[in-house]
Structures are given as structure tokens and as C-alpha cells.
Amino acid sequence: MQATLILKHKINMLNETHDPSLTSWLESANDPAIGFPVQHLPFAVFRRAGRAEPYRPGVALGDQIIDLAQLAAIKPFSGLAAEALSTCTGSTLNALMALGNTYWTELRLALSRAVRVGSSLQAEITRVLIPQAQAEYSLPAHIRDYTDFYISIYHATAGGKISRPDAPLLPNFKWLPIGYHGRASSVVMSGHGVARPIGQSRPVRSDEAPSFGPSKRLDFELEMGMFVGPGNAQGTRISIDQADEHIFGLCILNDWSARDVQAWEVQPLGPFLAKSFATTISPWIVTREALEPFRLPFNRPATDPQPLPYLMNESTKQGGVYDISLRALMSTERSRAAKHPPALLAHSNLCHAYWTLSQLITHHTVNGCNLQPGDLIGTGTMSGPNPDQALSFNELSAGGTRAVTLPWGQERKFLEDGDEVILQAECIKHGYPRLNFGQATGKILPSI
Ligand code: MN
């Protein structure tokens, strides 16, 4: 019985685009060091840097980008794939996101066949390739709403230990995915500078006034961002069975955080100005379909409460978790001047999440709240169980009580002006081509 269920799941989720033996006529697509193979096909919105030309959608292949706006003008596909491609001519992917999974999967199949060895469309695709080295990127969607969750139990426990050493984990954590409403207007593309925010910080003694000025505890958080597909009408719910079809894809997300501002303002209504000044995302959206080979079973420890029925189904149990490797690196003004490579701060994996992506979608809409195409949902800091899997300085420096020594000798408890944070992600599995997510970078600028 168990074997049958697993087999059914695999057949439902995997298709010919996931065949690990597929290769492309474009040589760089077959290079694992580049990590954009035929099996990947992530979306971004780009243009050639420094040109007065419009941003438009593209798909990564090797070290190139397939210009979807130019491709759409040729009309190389038919049926649902042609309809999906025809939405890829503007400056965002919202229209494609709104179409839904049936269209996405047909477009992926058509693109996959077009870039494989032996394709009859090789000449047409070749004419619309633009080198990634020449590209600059804009936000891939008009993001109307941004919600950030908090689904790593390791991050929640480490953060809680600093403020509540006797009971670090709040009792609701194991029953529902905790989230707050972020600020969509300040989501920026990788490479955008982040000015140090100014604000009130918690007084040292409760009878003192708060201090006011540039944050002294500026931090990063390595998260994954999820772009919503069709979404739901207000007053309706997305069930756990339908949730996957509302996940267009994932990117890397840095939830910049001013810990001193956060500590003072967070009670009683949650994060506000400590988070709303900037959120950085990586340019490429890796489609949920491309991630199907990297699903893992959902294993909640037997000693923990099992999810309520509305957050659980067979598909979640068999493959609700995604195996995505995450890495946080940084450089400083001094390290860049001395040409040191960026320092690895920590590494982790999305598989350490306490809740699954589909559970986030379902829980978000359980009260009838409407999700819309292009909405951005952050997972929360994806720290793992070990000390070297802590994906924020607040954890790495134990709330600023012990400095992290960088390989070139400098020390950090939090970020200083000129520091650059580089967040990376990739999918690695034996016998399958590597999928590179690219990176989300941001350099700290002096406060305004
Ligand atoms: Mn966060």
C-alpha cells in the first residue's frame, strides 16, 4: 500500500521535462558549474544593462537568457503554451502567474522541447538569446502584498532564547505557521543598496527613554520567497489539496532587520519599522514544477502535535518538503579591497522548515483572505539545527554577545556600513543536474 502511494505521487508530479538525461544544443546549459540546465528554466524580468529598452520576461538557459518577449513575437508554440507565452511581453510576470498550473506546465514543456538537442526551433531560440553577463533585472512581478512567515523552529527557538530564556518557543508555534504582514513597497531587486534605517531603540533600563538614531544592530535573514499564482477570491479558501497549484515559484529573500528597533517595537503587534525599510529578492523565480524532483516526505516528530486536518493531506505527507541548499556569505570594504573571497557565514536547507509551503498558502487563506497573482510570501529565516546553520547575525552572535571572526580577521556582531551580504541557493541531488537559484545581494549604505 505504502509503495503504491509513493509511486502514484511520483507519477503525478514528474514528467518528461524532469528527465535527468536531457541535454541542450546550447553547450553552457550542460555545464553544472553554471547550473541553468534544460531541467531548470527559471523566470526573471530583465533588460540589457545600460540600454533604454523595456524590461521583459526571460528564461535562463546556461549562461544565456531566452528573451520571451522576442520569442512571443515569433509565435513558435501552439495551444496553451502559445497562450502562456503571449502573456510574457510586459514588464512583469503577473499575467503568467494568474494563468495557473495548466498553462505553466504546457509552457515549460514547449520550452524544454525547444532547447533540447535535436529541437527544430534551435535557430529561432538562438536568435533571441541574450547573455546573462549583459543583463540587469527588475522585480519579476508587481507585488501587491508581501507576507513573511517564521517557520524554522530553530530560528524561533534561538530568537526566543534571547528574550525568553525559560520558554523560548511560544505555544502556538507548533500549531500554526506564524506570520506578519510585510511591506510590499520596499521589496527591491538583488544589488540594490540598503541604507541603514533610523529609529527608536529599546532603552537599557525600563525607566529610561529609548535611544533614537541609526540602527546599531542591523541584520540579515536568509529566507525563501514564494510567488503566488492565481490565488483566491475574498471569502474563499485554498484547500491543502489545491495549494500547490497556487505556488508559481521560489526565489531567495533577505529580510533585512534592525534588531534594536525590533526589540523595542515588536510587542504587542509584531514587527513594523524594524523590517519595512527593505527586503531584497534574487532575480530568478524557480518554478514549483522545476523543484518536483527535490521533494521530501514531511516528518513531524511523533512527540509534537500533528497538524490540524486542514493543514495535512497525503501529498504533504509524501512530498511536502523541498530540499534546497542555502548559503549566506558576506564581504566588507576591507575584504574586497584586499581581494579576499566572501566569507561563508552559515549554510542551511529549506527542508528544516517546520511547516510546508502548501501549508503556508492554505493557512494564509483559511479565514477567507484573498491571495493575488504576484503576491510574495517569505518563509522566515531558514536556520537549521546546528550552530553553523544560523542564517542571521542575531543567532550567529547570540544576540550580539559574542563576535563572529571573519577569515581576514575582522569581527562582526551585526552589519556595518559597506558590508555586503550575498545569499545563495541551489538544488543538488545525485544523478540529477544542479539547479542554481543565483543570488540575492545587498550592500549596507550609511544611514540617510
Ligand atoms: Mn523574516
Side-chain angles (χ1 to χ4, degrees):
M1 184 60 190
Q2 193 70 359
T4 315
L5 282 173
I6 291 166
L7 192 63
K8 185 162 168 249
H9 170 76
K10 298 270 188 220
I11 286 169
N12 285 347
M13 299 299 180
L14 296 180
N15 57 49
E16 69 170 72
T17 68
H18 302 105
D19 181 346
S21 69
L22 293 178
T23 55
S24 175
W25 43 258
L26 181 71
E27 209 39 58
S28 66
N30 308 322
D31 182 349
I34 295 172
F36 291 108
V38 186
Q39 293 83 355
H40 197 352
L41 306 176
F43 288 81
V45 169
F46 80 104
R47 69 178 177 188
R48 285 176 295 180
R51 306 273 188 118
E53 59 183 35
Y55 283 103
R56 67 271 189 186
V59 162
L61 181 70
D63 59 5
Q64 304 288 311
I65 301 171
I66 304 169
D67 182 337
L68 294 184
Q70 281 195 65
L71 190 65
I74 303 169
K75 296 188 166 48
F77 304 147
S78 59
L80 298 185
E83 280 186 58
L85 181 60
S86 74
T87 66
C88 296
T89 56
S91 60
T92 70
L93 289 160
N94 293 72
L96 178 64
M97 292 168 172
L99 285 179
N101 193 55
T102 315
Y103 288 82
W104 307 335
T105 200
E106 289 295 325
L107 179 57
R108 174 178 164 88
L109 179 61
L111 285 168
S112 168
R113 288 176 175 168
V115 301
R116 290 177 203 170
V117 168
S119 160
S120 60
L121 289 171
Q122 179 174 346
E124 286 82 353
I125 302 282
T126 301
R127 277 197 289 277
V128 301
L129 292 179
I130 291 172
Q132 286 187 35
Q134 290 178 16
E136 63 182 348
Y137 302 91
S138 70
L139 292 179
H142 172 50
I143 302 167
R144 285 182 283 193
D145 262 310
Y146 159 48
T147 302
D148 197 25
F149 280 95
Y150 186 64
I151 61 170
S152 161
I153 196 168
Y154 308 105
H155 173 70
T157 304
K161 263 182 196 154
I162 294 163
S163 48
R164 296 177 304 275
D166 40 340
L169 199 67
L170 292 169
N172 53 8
F173 186 92
K174 292 184 175 180
W175 289 100
L176 53 80
I178 306 288
Y180 69 94
H181 278 90
R183 184 76 194 164
S185 67
S186 55
V187 178
V188 294
M189 180 42 55
S190 176
H192 196 278
V194 175
R196 181 176 299 275
I198 287 175
Q200 291 192 23
S201 297
R202 187 165 64 182
V204 179
R205 290 200 339 247
S206 58
D207 59 341
E208 288 179 338
S211 60
F212 178 76
S215 169
K216 294 187 180 75
R217 294 187 160 218
L218 185 53
D219 201 356
F220 73 96
E221 292 189 339
L222 201 180
E223 310 190 4
M224 300 241 73
M226 166 164 62
F227 277 95
V228 171
N232 57 313
Q234 190 172 8
T236 69
R237 297 159 53 176
I238 297 176
S239 73
I240 193 73
D241 292 336
Q242 305 162 319
D244 267 355
E245 300 201 354
H246 293 272
I247 302 173
F248 177 75
L250 304 186
C251 63
I252 307 163
L253 185 149
N254 187 342
D255 178 22
W256 302 99
S257 302
R259 300 297 179 198
D260 38 5
V261 176
Q262 187 176 353
W264 178 228
E265 75 174 8
V266 74
Q267 300 289 354
L269 287 185
F272 179 40
L273 301 179
K275 305 274 194 175
S276 60
F277 57 95
T279 303
T280 299
I281 61 169
S282 57
W284 294 107
I285 309 178
V286 180
T287 63
R288 200 253 310 139
E289 190 173 356
L291 296 169
E292 289 298 325
F294 299 92
R295 282 177 175 263
L296 299 170
F298 176 79
N299 280 319
R300 179 66 55 87
T303 48
D304 281 9
Q306 297 305 301
L308 291 179
Y310 81 97
L311 291 174
M312 209 48 208
N313 66 356
E314 193 58 31
S315 152
T316 298
K317 188 175 165 190
Q318 299 288 344
V321 175
Y322 293 88
D323 178 5
I324 303 175
S325 301
L326 309 168
R327 303 201 317 158
L329 304 96
M330 74 171 287
S331 66
T332 68
E333 274 175 4
R334 194 206 291 180
S335 77
R336 292 190 297 274
K339 305 256 188 284
H340 294 297
L344 178 66
L345 292 172
H347 62 91
S348 185
N349 194 298
L350 184 61
C351 74
H352 296 306
Y354 196 79
W355 299 97
T356 71
L357 301 178
S358 56
Q359 286 168 337
L360 301 187
I361 295 276
T362 295
H363 184 67
H364 203 311
T365 63
V366 71
N367 64 346
C369 171
N370 46 327
L371 293 177
Q372 301 183 90
D375 281 1
L376 179 62
I377 294 177
T379 57
T381 313
M382 279 318 310
S383 302
N386 303 324
D388 63 348
Q389 295 174 324
L391 295 179
S392 69
F393 263 113
N394 203 41
E395 291 157 87
L396 291 166
S397 70
T401 58
R402 56 163 193 258
V404 173
T405 304
L406 300 170
W408 49 86
Q410 282 180 292
E411 294 191 335
R412 287 290 184 273
K413 291 176 178 169
F414 291 97
L415 294 166
E416 297 189 6
D417 293 355
D419 289 355
E420 183 175 46
V421 177
I422 302 152
L423 307 182
Q424 300 175 338
E426 61 185 347
C427 288
I428 298 172
K429 184 179 176 178
H430 184 68
Y432 199 83
R434 169 177 174 261
L435 307 189
N436 183 2
F437 275 66
Q439 56 187 25
T441 69
K443 193 193 285 184
I444 306 304
L445 307 176
S447 71
I448 44 170

